[in-house]
Amino acid sequence: MSIVMLAYDRVRLLDVTGPLEVFATSGIPVILCSPDGRDVVTSSGLRIGVNAAVSEITGAHTVIVPGSDDLPGGAFPPGSLDGVTALARDARRIASVCTGAFALAEVGLLDGLRATTHWRHATTFARRYPRVEVEPDAIYVRDGRMLTSAGVSAGIDLALAMVEEDGGADLAREVARDMVVFLQRPGGQSQFSVAARTPRARHDGLRRLLDAVVADPAADHSLPALAVRGGFSVRHLTRLFREQIGGTPAAYVESVRLEAARALLEAGETVTAAADRTGLGSEESLRRIFHRHLGVAPSSYRARFRSAKR
């Protein structure tokens, strides 16, 4: 099995190195290529050496396209779109990190499919590619052989998901622990992914329910609603959660909603909007959950994170 990543000038550094570090830690080799085989200079000015030109790559199992701040403006580097098309032709799995989704959509690979990208560019993405169903709040989205991830560090979540698929849940959790995925962000906020820390459910129906909660945190995810949607009795669904996830449906839903609320606050949304858009209902509910899990008020969380970014 071969994993190939396409690099190009002004690519975002972490879009490349985040997934590379996940795969390296898991022992899975990655071939880094560029359209013409030359080294590339990232948006941060760091030069990265590549292993091959696109024309030298054959039989790639997985193709990963990282993002760049230039892509939302339609400035695709020379040879990059042809490279995406050539690499994707026979690939069994194709993924993008952050704004790399613009390249996939530009060559038609996402037509008729669900996808996500960096929250800042989701509206532009949806307007430019109306044949793509955009999920702006998702960490990553899989639709068939296509996987797309949200901004920058979400590429790590995406790579961990692929490691889990290829090497199993135990390996993915070990890689996450080794990389200290639950790190402290600037301003004192902890960063973690519910998807990365949740054991993979063995039951297909339960996995679909977990994905549905992540895809739309604000929907009705009460225990009776989840049971009906999954075709389970309430008792059976509760037992499946306990046995395969190690907790209750309510706890999982709350964790997903908390993660979504944090992302919205980090993006500049108000506390009221974050509570409403994640299904937590009221500011008071959001405050209780933040204090219980993070020990901080959501307004303080928002202020500290945004001030740390300036």
Side-chain angles (χ1 to χ4, degrees):
M1 180 187 68
S2 61
I3 295 179
V4 176
M5 179 178 286
L6 176 64
Y8 49 86
D9 283 337
R10 291 185 52 78
V11 68
R12 292 195 71 165
L13 180 62
L14 189 58
D15 284 13
V16 175
T17 57
L20 283 180
E21 189 66 24
V22 171
F23 290 120
T25 304
S26 67
I28 299 174
V30 177
I31 299 171
L32 188 64
C33 70
S34 66
D36 57 8
R38 297 179 182 177
D39 293 350
V40 301
V41 178
T42 68
S43 60
S44 66
L46 182 68
R47 182 177 295 274
I48 297 180
V50 304
N51 308 113
V54 168
S55 60
E56 300 174 76
I57 304 297
T58 58
H61 174 279
T62 298
V63 173
I64 303 174
V65 181
S68 163
D69 290 337
D70 299 334
L71 303 192
F76 298 98
S80 60
L81 295 181
D82 288 340
V84 170
T85 300
L87 292 172
R89 188 170 294 118
D90 300 315
R92 293 179 55 189
R93 189 171 58 188
I94 304 165
S96 65
V97 180
C98 194
T99 57
F102 280 80
L104 299 188
E106 185 71 17
V107 299
L109 288 170
L110 297 178
D111 285 357
L113 302 179
R114 295 177 298 110
T116 193
T117 189
H118 193 292
W119 63 267
R120 190 186 302 276
H121 304 295
T123 300
T124 299
F125 187 82
R127 184 169 56 247
R128 185 176 301 168
Y129 306 110
R131 298 187 65 183
V132 182
E133 182 182 342
V134 182
E135 297 187 4
D137 293 329
I139 297 172
Y140 64 87
V141 173
R142 178 163 194 165
D143 196 336
R145 68 170 182 155
M146 309 300 300
L147 296 91
T148 52
S149 69
V152 193
S153 61
I156 294 175
D157 296 271
L158 179 70
L160 283 169
M162 289 191 280
V163 168
E164 180 180 17
E165 180 178 325
D166 298 338
D170 289 343
L171 176 60
R173 282 194 291 270
E174 183 58 35
V175 172
R177 284 194 294 268
D178 183 85
M179 292 183 62
V180 195
V181 172
F182 310 151
L183 54 81
Q184 284 296 117
R185 292 191 181 207
Q189 288 67 242
S190 62
Q191 174 182 288
F192 59 92
S193 165
V194 174
R197 66 182 174 86
T198 300
R200 182 171 175 80
R202 300 184 299 277
H203 192 288
D204 289 344
L206 181 55
R207 284 202 301 273
R208 286 192 292 271
L209 283 180
L210 299 180
D211 291 343
V213 174
V214 173
D216 187 5
D220 180 6
H221 298 309
S222 62
L223 181 55
L226 288 173
V228 170
R229 195 179 309 146
F232 304 111
S233 69
V234 168
R235 179 178 298 179
H236 183 45
L237 179 59
T238 302
R239 184 168 64 250
L240 281 176
F241 259 88
R242 184 175 60 251
E243 293 173 352
Q244 299 190 22
I245 305 303
T248 66
Y252 178 77
V253 171
E254 182 173 286
S255 295
V256 170
R257 287 174 170 168
L258 172 62
E259 181 169 292
R262 290 172 57 220
L264 289 170
L265 291 173
E266 292 163 8
E269 291 285 358
T270 65
V271 174
T272 300
D276 182 64
R277 291 181 59 188
T278 57
L280 290 171
S282 67
E283 290 187 33
E284 182 55 32
S285 295
L286 185 60
R287 273 192 288 271
R288 287 199 302 269
I289 291 171
F290 260 69
H291 276 292
R292 184 163 67 250
H293 290 274
L294 303 176
V296 64
S299 56
S300 299
Y301 179 100
R302 179 180 183 274
R304 288 211 301 266
F305 183 76
R306 287 173 62 81
S307 64
K309 289 185 67 175
R310 286 197 294 266

